[in-house]
Amino acid sequence: MLKKFLVVGVAVVSILAAFSSCNNIVGSTKKILNDSTEVNKEDDKLVQKQDTVKLMDLLDSLNRGKIVFPPLDSLNKIDPKIAKRQFRDSIYRELNKKEKHIYLTFDDGPLIGSRAIDSIATSKSVKINAFLVGKHANMSKRLKNDYQRYMNNPLVECYNHSYTHANNRFHVFYSNPDAAVNDFEKCEEDLALKHKIIRMPGRNIWLFDGTRRIDLSSGSQTADLLGVHGYKIYGWDVEWKINGLSGNPVQSVNEIYTRIKNMLGNKSTLKPNNVVLLMHDDMFQNKKGQALLSSLIDSLKQHKDYKFDFMSQYPVKY
Ligand SMILES: [Zn+2]
């Protein structure tokens, strides 16, 4: 049974590999692809293609380089749809056996709230990620101190969230990519950041190691230019939103916890088994907010296969 399954799986890898690169579609593989898609409408083709890209991504996280491709002729005997489904199930089963990686990321610090976050990271002994705004560290002696605390805590890694936070006028900021890149460079120098890792203010953009996801096109030129300058840009999978008026977290701890658990389960994060949670430092200014953060961490810690990681390790593959 296992052997048969392995054969099917390996064959599908070849089909997927053919899908992923037009140049690879040759001989019998091309025939299979044509047979299976000719009867479908354009929409179905698109869904299939997206499905395949997603599968390739899942497979990539399990190190597909180690899988040996069979002779192309053997593919004639397999129904691609069934084989694909079986193969996806097998990837899910493999991924479910592995550790899951959670990235707690806090934006806009140092702000009131940063000190408490720093203390919670230490008391709970979990790694956290701070995307800092350069000018905030220069706003007061207290915030300068809080920035230093983050920098000195081995459980905290500090990254770049720009110097000015685009003055919260994102469209204007990103309309001048050169000036925007300068702003990130100023932040890096001012805060003596060791990592070339960025989260763009007001944008959920990912750009690293061949992955490029743009949410709003007005940030794309700046993102690409940052990429040319050697930066990696990370967005988020889940956001724990902040109430603009009260400053408190919007969703309940259980809502965020369940969402993280579900997304890891159904592999709907950008990279399987890796989930990036966005929060903001000012959500945790008061005792109530701080208790919620502690409670979320406790809930996640109940899972022995969940690990808290630094964004500099993202994404963990196996
Ligand atoms: Zn921000």
Side-chain angles (χ1 to χ4, degrees):
M1 177 62 192
L2 185 67
K3 199 174 170 189
K4 185 185 165 197
F5 183 70
L6 209 62
V7 171
V8 170
V10 169
V12 177
V13 172
S14 295
I15 297 172
L16 295 175
F19 256 119
S20 69
S21 166
C22 294
N23 297 331
N24 281 348
I25 299 179
V26 288
S28 58
T29 314
K30 187 174 182 178
K31 185 176 179 302
I32 285 181
L33 296 179
N34 285 341
D35 289 350
S36 64
T37 52
E38 263 170 15
V39 288
N40 294 327
K41 293 174 186 164
E42 285 299 310
D43 283 358
D44 291 339
K45 280 187 192 174
L46 187 67
V47 169
Q48 272 198 24
K49 199 174 173 193
Q50 285 169 343
D51 208 33
T52 303
V53 170
K54 182 77 188 164
L55 262 184
M56 287 298 288
D57 227 24
L58 288 170
L59 197 52
D60 180 51
S61 65
L62 285 169
N63 202 351
R64 70 189 141 102
K66 286 182 185 165
I67 297 174
V68 181
F69 294 162
L72 287 176
D73 283 351
S74 65
L75 296 177
N76 276 325
K77 303 176 186 97
I78 298 163
D79 176 343
K81 272 189 181 171
I82 295 170
K84 207 170 169 181
R85 193 169 56 236
Q86 287 179 340
F87 194 57
R88 174 171 40 215
D89 291 347
S90 77
I91 298 172
Y92 274 34
R93 274 197 299 276
E94 283 307 308
L95 286 170
N96 287 340
K97 290 179 203 162
K98 311 283 185 188
E99 285 183 340
K100 320 295 179 298
H101 303 274
I102 298 171
Y103 306 83
L104 303 175
T105 72
F106 298 87
D107 281 14
D108 298 357
L111 285 175
I112 300 174
S114 303
R115 194 173 294 187
I117 295 165
D118 184 88
S119 299
I120 290 170
T122 302
S123 66
K124 299 285 175 192
S125 192
V126 294
K127 292 177 187 166
I128 65 156
N129 304 272
F131 284 89
L132 302 175
V133 174
K135 73 171 181 186
H136 290 175
N138 292 322
M139 281 192 319
S140 72
K141 214 171 183 177
R142 180 199 157 120
L143 291 178
K144 189 70 153 191
N145 263 328
D146 293 343
Y147 147 73
Q148 285 294 352
R149 249 177 214 247
Y150 267 161
M151 291 292 278
N152 295 334
N153 188 340
L155 289 167
V156 181
E157 273 193 1
C158 295
Y159 311 115
N160 194 333
H161 194 41
S162 83
Y163 188 82
T164 59
H165 204 268
N167 294 311
N168 291 328
R169 298 175 68 215
F170 305 114
H171 196 79
V172 174
F173 182 73
Y174 294 122
S175 69
N176 187 342
D178 287 317
V181 169
N182 285 339
D183 196 70
F184 285 104
E185 284 176 343
K186 181 170 165 53
C187 180
E188 180 178 278
E189 283 164 29
D190 229 67
L191 301 184
L193 299 175
K194 297 185 198 85
H195 301 274
K196 293 188 89 69
I197 290 177
I198 280 176
R199 175 168 288 144
M200 293 171 67
R203 296 286 181 274
N204 188 359
I205 287 179
W206 306 76
L207 190 100
F208 63 96
D209 304 342
T211 294
R212 186 177 182 276
R213 284 285 182 96
I214 307 286
D215 63 339
L216 290 169
S217 61
S218 85
S220 67
Q221 276 185 295
T222 300
D224 290 334
L225 195 56
L226 287 167
V228 169
H229 280 72
Y231 292 100
K232 291 181 177 185
I233 304 169
Y234 295 118
W236 60 91
D237 296 298
V238 184
E239 179 178 4
W240 197 359
K241 291 199 171 75
I242 180 169
N243 182 309
L245 289 176
S246 68
N248 291 327
V250 173
Q251 303 102 312
S252 69
V253 169
N254 193 46
E255 250 178 288
I256 292 297
Y257 163 73
T258 305
R259 185 145 171 75
I260 289 173
K261 195 162 65 99
N262 289 346
M263 286 185 85
L264 286 170
N266 62 26
K267 316 298 170 213
S268 57
T269 51
L270 180 70
K271 299 293 175 188
N273 280 10
N274 290 262
V275 60
V276 180
L277 172 65
L278 166 66
M279 294 163 281
H280 286 85
D281 283 39
D282 47 358
M283 286 161 63
F284 308 109
Q285 329 187 5
N286 58 43
K287 290 263 180 280
K288 193 182 162 206
Q290 291 154 20
L292 296 175
L293 177 59
S294 295
S295 166
L296 176 67
I297 292 171
D298 288 342
S299 302
L300 294 168
K301 272 184 146 184
Q302 288 175 349
H303 296 257
K304 293 291 167 248
D305 57 337
Y306 286 9
K307 301 286 169 218
F308 298 89
D309 281 302
F310 290 136
M311 285 307 296
S312 56
Q313 307 299 312
Y314 181 91
V316 174
K317 298 181 183 179
Y318 310 98

